[in-house]
Amino acid sequence: MKFVDTTLRDGHQSLIATRMSTKDMIPVLEAMDKVGFYSMEMWGGATFDVAVRFLNEDPWERLRKIREKIKNTKLQMLLRGQNLVGYRHYADDTVRLFVRKMVENGIDIIRIFDALNDERNLLIAIDEAKKMKAHVQGAISYTVSPVHTLDYYLNYARKLVELGVDSICIKDMAGLLTPKEAFELVNSLKKQFSLPIDVHSHCTCGLAIASYQAALDAGADIIDTALSPFALGTSQPPFEPFYYSLSKQGIVPPPDWETLNFLIEYFTKVREKYSAFDVKMTTIDPKILYAQVPGGMYSNMVKQLQEQKMSHKMKEVLEEIPKVQRDLGYPPLVTPTSQIVGVQAVLNVMTGERYSKVTKEVKEYVKGFYGRPPAPIDPELVKKILGDEKPIDVRPGEIIPPEVEKSKEELGLLAKNDEDVLIYIILGEVGKKYLQKRYVDQLKIDFDLLKEFEAPVYPV
């Protein structure tokens, strides 16, 4: 039985808006390395964007620093297939370079998923990861809809296996997986495939702990948990009680309470430090059971409605989300489709007329630029949004021109290495401004050093 610790990625992404800095992680890395986690999910997801956009940090440097301290535990990251860690599809040359550089910088396990469960969006990332000898975990984006049946998930898992993944993850981002469904899905996957099965969920709806136990009963090999200060709420179930329970059954060694107590005290203080960003969720949110809204998406909508002085419309928005999801072919609500559906639902409510205003992202989604929806989109809606334009029917990455060399030329002296180029490609102007600031700061440091060691001038 193995545990993935999510404290340094999904734990703080779910609870404190991904604001934990690298300097807050460094002091406890060696202690975390002693706990006995199978892997630590500590990179990818929103961490790349937030590091640059809000923390003025180099995400690549975070990866290298953590790798330097972690000797016994595998390092894991979350990759959105052709989306990488951004919000659009990137060119194939960018995907290959990104996968190559993250493995070179220290990643062992890559959890790769596509928001639409369109396997075409995983092809390039999986191929490059296999070339780099990384462990590839293919993830199933889990949701509840008329088309997302047990057979649907088993068929998708078969596609992942055919692509050569090393393990399979059931990725339940909104915490919708019930104990019955968890048991049936894990049991069926174990019967059909000989790969390890990992279960990832969130406690938002109050189902995850019971569903994890059901998954373990069905033979799940791995579960995702967080250390208790960064567990529960919109995050994962807590590590300590699950590990303790399994230790009592003789499945895992007894817990190292001295190390765990140290980590609990430390991360409790870290969470307090970021209280301004804390979701402060003290109860479950059963509304998610019908709205299917992941925690990050919910908090973004709250902020959006507050800015428009329309907080009183939240109930209508939550009722509109499943309608938009149905209209668009039941996409699972995970980045980037959660933002696409959520923003359009807010627009529909604010304008009072559904789809009278349509976002650029919704139009691109309907065109097929994000991939193949799980179910056909309402033809009338396609006509209303696209007019006489026709959706594409090829893999979206095929129509994006190469961008790495062009980006290197655009950056010039700002790019010290390929990692810098990737920051720019993925984050655009936000990435460029970060690189510009770092370049200017470095020039100031070099100038100050030059003044300090300037040879004294003696009178003749």
Side-chain angles (χ1 to χ4, degrees), residues 96 99-100 103 124-134 136:
R96 289 191 182 279
V99 171
R100 193 158 62 246
V103 175
I124 303 301
I126 289 178
D127 181 66
E128 193 64 30
K130 298 295 285 185
K131 287 179 181 177
M132 295 297 295
K133 310 297 184 194
V136 178

Side-chain angles (χ1 to χ4, degrees), residues 9 13 18 43-49 77-80 84-87:
R9 206 285 297 175
Q13 180 172 324
T18 331
W43 211 68
T47 63
F48 194 95
D49 182 0
M77 69 86 64
L78 181 69
L79 192 78
R80 304 181 194 124
L84 297 177
V85 288
Y87 305 101

